[in-house]
Amino acid sequence: MTAQDDLITRPITGTDELDLFCRIPYTLNEELADDLASGRRRPEWMWVALRGDRLLARAAWWSRPGDDAPVVLDVVDVDAAESDRVDIGVQLLRTAMTAALPTGSRPPGYSRFVEPDWRGTPAGKQVVDDRMAVLERLGAELFVERVRFEWRPG
């Protein structure tokens, strides 16, 4: 756990803190409890940045059950209302990576489902841009952007 200017960064304690972790909406939030129960996630791979009881940022890794290290970073979120949100995200992810990833290992890739029209709204674009800014400041580079298709009746 680290604290700077009243910002606390730490892993969640377990399923008892999933409500805290899920205060930032995401399509996969409903899968997190099952992921923890099945071993695809571990509390020490799910980190939050807090000021008091307010969630400002979060990060989480996923793996196959039984893996010793995370396979993919798939949750990086910052509170859009915070003016220093990218700095908060960088501090959180830097601290979490040091604790959650094996020493000397290359960080796993980042994968995220985003809304199909994320570029079409200023708020949607800002959310994706903020996430990418956090990752880029830590050395990540965009590798590929994929389109996900869904077949619907009619």
Side-chain angles (χ1 to χ4, degrees), residues 7-94:
L7 181 72
I8 303 293
T9 59
R10 64 171 177 80
I12 65 170
T13 57
T15 56
D16 58 311
E17 286 196 318
L18 275 180
D19 287 343
L20 167 68
F21 192 84
C22 292
R23 286 182 188 167
I24 296 175
Y26 180 39
T27 304
L28 299 181
N29 278 355
E30 63 189 34
E31 298 177 14
L32 296 176
D34 186 58
D35 283 352
L36 279 167
S38 67
R40 291 185 298 264
R41 293 189 194 273
R42 297 181 189 171
E44 62 268 24
W45 295 346
M46 299 176 71
W47 281 67
V48 292
L50 305 163
R51 279 202 181 112
D53 64 350
R54 187 153 174 247
L55 178 64
L56 303 181
R58 68 183 187 163
W61 288 269
W62 179 94
S63 73
R64 291 173 296 274
D67 283 356
D68 291 333
V71 174
V72 66
L73 174 66
D74 65 340
V75 177
V76 173
D77 291 303
V78 295
D79 183 340
E82 294 295 313
S83 61
D84 58 344
R85 63 190 169 270
V86 173
D87 292 333
I88 291 169
V90 168
Q91 181 178 338
L92 170 67
L93 199 51
R94 181 177 285 129

Side-chain angles (χ1 to χ4, degrees), residues 92-129:
L92 170 67
L93 199 51
R94 181 177 285 129
T95 302
M97 286 170 44
T98 299
L101 302 178
T103 304
S105 68
R106 183 176 181 179
Y110 170 66
S111 179
R112 178 70 179 229
F113 294 112
V114 296
E115 297 299 321
D117 65 344
W118 69 270
R119 286 184 180 88
T121 65
K125 185 171 180 342
Q126 187 65 57
V127 167
V128 173
D129 288 347

